[in-house]
Amino acid sequence: MASSEPLSRHEQLDQSSYPTTETYSIPLEPSYMYCGITYLPPPRNKLAIIYNHNTKNILELHRIEDDTLKVMHSIELTDLTSAIDDFVWCSQRDELLVVSIGQLFTYNLDEEQFTNNLIIDKDKNKCRIACNSTSIACVDPRTLKLYDIQTLKCLRQKRLDHVCEDIEYDDQYFVSTHTGKLEYLDRTLFSIRRFAIGGTALTRFNSKLWLIADSFDDRLLWQSLDKLLLTVCHIHQPKSIVVIPSTSRIIIQCNDPNRLLIYDPISCK
């Protein structure tokens, strides 16, 4: 019973539960090139950050304690020296999914090694990645491809009519962000709704709402299928956004300057 309480409370939260400015921000090393963040759920319960420095890709597992980042573990990804475009944690595989120079890599944290690699774009375009309970989505600027989460077999693909910035989905909807446009697709990849707003990073907040960080309009969007709910300022060049379900904490990784923005519900302050 106790484990269901945070999820129930999380479902009740919306934009009115949050302040219009961040709770606090955490500066990141200014000389590093940060590739994004992803949340590793319990039992790990850590924030994974990958950055590139001196041609080395470094994976760090963090906890946020006393408003600072505490490094719990650091790993040099020696088998991957090319620039990392995006990565996400896949609970179904219990692995990290990483995309780089048109390839998809799977990485086992316990063994600290890559387990698979697959060419997803022979032209080596930058790709974004997401997953749900059954599949993995990889999107280059113009094409969305779906892969089976276990076999990595290509299931289907869809040509996009705009350059895609990011992709996120659950078991019902795909959401893709473009320059000046947010698009919802159904499970068959058929477009069902478009909004005239942009975004460069997005995530599912709960079953009702999505969060879209928009670098062009310097705002955080709370979006449902029905309407735009609120804008929150102080966002600059967002790369990744995650939600910690147990605390409903929102973490946005921004570049220039490199930092994490932390948003907590007002009742938790």
Side-chain angles (χ1 to χ4, degrees):
M1 292 295 291
S3 61
S4 65
E5 290 178 0
L7 294 177
S8 298
R9 176 180 176 275
H10 187 63
E11 286 296 318
Q12 296 172 3
L13 294 179
D14 60 23
Q15 79 291 346
S16 64
S17 306
Y18 288 80
T20 56
T21 58
E22 67 271 15
T23 311
Y24 58 89
S25 64
I26 299 176
L28 300 174
E29 171 58 47
S31 64
Y32 296 169
M33 181 177 294
Y34 286 88
C35 309
I37 59 175
T38 191
Y39 172 63
L40 280 54
R44 289 182 172 89
N45 194 29
K46 294 180 179 68
L47 190 68
I49 297 177
I50 295 180
Y51 64 85
N52 183 276
H53 183 59
N54 291 334
T55 70
K56 296 180 180 179
N57 289 311
I58 308 298
L59 166 64
E60 291 184 344
L61 303 182
H62 292 263
R63 282 185 179 155
I64 298 179
E65 298 180 359
D66 299 324
D67 299 353
T68 60
L69 278 178
K70 183 177 181 180
V71 180
M72 309 303 295
H73 192 43
S74 181
I75 308 167
E76 182 182 347
L77 304 177
T78 54
D79 293 336
L80 183 55
T81 57
S82 56
I84 292 174
D85 300 324
D86 197 15
F87 66 100
V88 68
W89 178 252
C90 179
S91 297
Q92 286 69 28
R93 293 183 62 95
D94 198 36
E95 289 184 320
L96 278 174
L97 306 176
V98 181
V99 282
S100 172
I101 58 170
Q103 295 186 72
L104 165 65
F105 298 86
T106 62
Y107 185 81
N108 186 292
L109 271 179
D110 296 325
E111 299 176 0
E112 297 189 5
Q113 65 179 16
F114 290 97
T115 55
N116 295 278
N117 73 287
L118 177 71
I119 296 176
I120 55 177
D121 179 20
K122 60 182 178 58
D123 294 326
K124 299 182 179 181
N125 286 305
K126 289 185 177 181
C127 298
R128 299 300 293 265
I129 190 169
C131 64
N132 69 358
S133 61
T134 60
S135 63
I136 299 168
C138 296
V139 59
D140 64 29
R142 292 285 186 176
T143 306
L144 169 64
K145 297 180 181 179
L146 281 183
Y147 298 87
D148 181 87
I149 204 164
Q150 297 299 335
T151 66
L152 302 183
K153 178 182 178 181
C154 187
L155 301 174
R156 60 184 182 276
Q157 66 182 50
K158 178 183 176 62
R159 182 73 174 172
L160 303 174
D161 58 2
H162 288 77
V163 174
C164 185
E165 296 281 356
D166 199 8
I167 183 78
E168 189 65 60
Y169 69 119
D170 55 19
D171 292 336
Q172 186 175 8
Y173 296 113
F174 289 82
V175 180
S176 64
T177 59
H178 313 264
T179 302
K181 183 178 72 172
L182 178 73
E183 185 170 17
Y184 279 77
L185 302 95
D186 64 16
R187 294 172 62 183
T188 67
L189 302 184
F190 179 77
S191 179
I192 58 175
R193 189 75 183 272
R194 292 183 179 184
F195 295 88
I197 55 176
T200 53
L202 63 99
T203 194
R204 192 61 145 137
F205 179 73
N206 58 24
S207 64
K208 298 172 291 185
L209 296 169
W210 302 78
L211 297 177
I212 304 100
D214 188 349
S215 65
F216 297 101
D217 293 330
D218 196 34
R219 62 187 179 178
L220 173 64
L221 310 173
W222 300 71
Q223 183 71 45
S224 71
L225 275 176
D226 300 319
K227 60 182 179 179
L228 173 66
L229 298 175
L230 183 70
T231 63
V232 180
C233 297
H234 312 297
I235 308 272
H236 188 61
Q237 293 195 16
K239 175 67 175 178
S240 294
I241 179 170
V242 299
V243 177
I244 312 301
S246 60
T247 61
S248 302
R249 167 170 282 180
I250 300 166
I251 304 175
I252 306 174
Q253 184 252 308
C254 298
N255 298 330
D256 192 26
N258 292 333
R259 58 179 176 156
L260 299 181
L261 299 181
I262 313 297
Y263 291 85
D264 289 309
I266 296 171
S267 59
C268 294
K269 292 178 64 177

